[in-house]
Amino acid sequence: INEVKCCLFGSLPWGSAIAKIIGKNIQKSNRFDPVVKMWVFEEIINGRKLTEIINKEHENVKYLPGHTLPKNVVAVADVIEASAGADVFIFVIPHQFITRICDQIAGHIKPGAFGISLIKGVDEGAEGLKLISDIIREKLKIEVSVLMGANIASEVADEKFCETTIGCKTEKHGQIFKELMQTPNFRITVVDDCDTVEICGALKNIVAVGAGFCDGLDFGDNTKAASCGVADLITTCYGGRNRKVAEAFVRTGKSIEELEKEMLNGQKLQGPQTSAEVYKMLKQKNMVDKFPLFSTVYQICYEGRLVQEFISCLQNHPQHM
């Protein structure tokens, strides 16, 4: 089989974090060409070119300091050179640059090539909003998938557990992207609705700006969440007492009951109790395995399961493959 050749556009923190994952995954696979070209917007750092620093020291000193990039990730400053012969394009650049980049490589695309956009944003089209993936599709005439999730670049680079969603219309492409990017701590779900995935990834940043305004104005968590579709969920994860007591449960080693007495004047927490009721129902219906998060929370609260196993229960779960 011909080896699949990958080109990544983008060297900011998110692009560099993804380059780290892709570079490592490719080393373990025989499906891909071992070299990943990473297009880097050339800058001079302390008198040296950024591409040269990345290629010699294998570290993006400006945008992802402290992280070693795999040696098979090669920084290239020239757009055409970076994209030459690529089968798979991964776009992780600020959205205002996408049109210019696509215009530069438009005549140089291999037949059968395809891409994926990790860019969170929308553009202004003549008839209204335009998705970034649509700009790429129109200009390069290739199929484009999208990847969006709660993926803060530094946490992904630190290999802290997170999940992400790929919207992809072609199953085969979805498999290739998963093989390129999935790790035990970067879990990917592939769905076939690209547009919804992309629009959620873009719109949530508007909400985040509103949240920042609320913090600046010293409003509370309820106010912060009032602007958000999943208001209750967000609030409770950041400011609710279920979250607060659960944190103390981990830090102090005391039981939920003791902490309810100490921290809540003996009031009962809703979360653990709800998990017990849900668990009972899941058991009756033989569905414990389908809801790893709910089941594990219950087992930690009531059956002495170690809280340290919390993430590994989710990682090793068939639903999360």
Side-chain angles (χ1 to χ4, degrees):
I1 338 158
N2 289 339
E3 290 178 327
V4 175
K5 204 170 185 175
C6 299
C7 164
L8 184 134
F9 284 95
S11 53
L12 297 181
W14 185 209
S16 301
I18 284 295
K20 187 179 172 184
I21 288 179
I22 290 176
K24 278 186 182 172
N25 279 355
I26 280 181
Q27 289 171 347
K28 293 179 267 187
S29 161
N30 51 16
R31 188 203 285 257
F32 300 97
D33 185 308
V35 173
V36 185
K37 287 191 181 162
M38 174 165 89
W39 175 75
V40 172
F41 179 74
E42 192 68 280
E43 297 176 60
I44 303 297
I45 315 281
N46 299 328
R48 294 174 67 197
K49 291 179 172 177
L50 182 55
T51 48
E52 189 190 306
I53 298 171
I54 292 172
N55 291 335
K56 288 207 169 124
E57 270 123 66
H58 306 291
E59 181 187 357
N60 186 338
V61 289
K62 178 155 185 189
Y63 295 109
L64 201 67
H67 286 278
T68 303
L69 294 174
K71 288 189 166 60
N72 58 327
V73 173
V74 176
V76 178
D78 182 80
V79 174
I80 306 294
E81 190 193 328
S83 60
D87 301 287
V88 179
F89 292 91
I90 301 118
F91 295 96
V92 207
I93 50 179
H95 74 275
Q96 61 269 34
F97 298 131
I98 195 68
T99 304
R100 199 168 76 214
I101 293 283
C102 287
D103 284 342
Q104 284 176 273
I105 60 173
H108 306 267
I109 305 281
K110 209 170 161 180
F114 55 97
I116 187 165
S117 167
L118 282 68
I119 301 167
K120 295 186 166 105
V122 284
D123 212 50
E124 231 176 306
E127 275 89 55
L129 287 184
K130 198 161 194 171
L131 296 174
I132 301 301
S133 63
D134 282 335
I135 297 175
I136 303 169
R137 273 183 208 109
E138 284 166 24
K139 292 195 171 285
L140 302 186
K141 310 282 185 276
I142 60 173
E143 193 177 313
V144 184
S145 303
V146 296
L147 180 149
M148 303 280 152
N151 307 138
I152 291 168
S154 58
E155 295 189 12
V156 172
D158 285 336
E159 297 181 21
K160 291 180 176 166
F161 181 76
C162 63
E163 295 192 317
T164 201
T165 304
I166 288 180
C168 183
K169 292 191 172 68
T170 305
E171 203 177 320
K172 189 176 134 228
H173 294 174
Q175 286 317 111
I176 289 174
F177 291 133
K178 211 166 173 172
E179 201 177 314
L180 259 186
M181 294 190 254
Q182 177 153 279
T183 74
N185 285 316
F186 189 65
R187 308 296 289 165
I188 294 173
T189 306
V190 180
V191 299
D192 59 10
D193 184 349
C194 301
D195 295 353
T196 306
V197 171
E198 187 170 3
I199 206 86
C200 288
L203 296 180
K204 72 119 206 324
N205 284 330
I206 306 173
V207 180
V209 175
F213 292 160
C214 293
D215 287 343
L217 294 162
D218 287 324
F219 294 159
D221 287 317
N222 292 341
T223 316
K224 192 195 293 193
S227 58
C228 177
V230 281
D232 199 14
L233 175 65
I234 300 291
T235 293
T236 197
C237 287
Y238 282 99
R241 55 194 196 160
N242 286 283
R243 188 213 63 76
K244 202 157 89 192
V245 174
E247 183 183 354
F249 173 86
V250 180
R251 296 192 192 281
T252 64
K254 294 177 179 175
S255 71
I256 294 287
E257 289 78 3
E258 284 176 87
L259 292 166
E260 284 172 335
K261 287 196 186 82
E262 273 180 40
M263 297 173 72
L264 304 175
N265 293 326
Q267 290 176 74
K268 288 279 171 234
L269 272 189
Q270 295 303 297
Q273 238 172 329
T274 306
S275 78
E277 289 150 9
V278 168
Y279 189 75
K280 210 156 92 188
M281 184 270 298
L282 292 176
K283 255 191 126 146
Q284 280 168 355
K285 298 195 182 299
N286 255 339
M287 287 168 74
V288 167
D289 278 355
K290 282 203 161 59
F291 293 87
L293 179 68
F294 293 166
S295 308
T296 306
V297 167
Y298 165 78
Q299 289 160 350
I300 290 168
C301 288
Y302 294 107
E303 292 189 345
R305 186 159 199 175
L306 289 175
V307 73
Q308 285 73 17
E309 289 173 21
F310 181 52
I311 293 297
S312 59
C313 297
L314 301 182
Q315 286 169 327
N316 301 332
H317 198 273
Q319 285 300 105
H320 282 71
M321 284 310 278

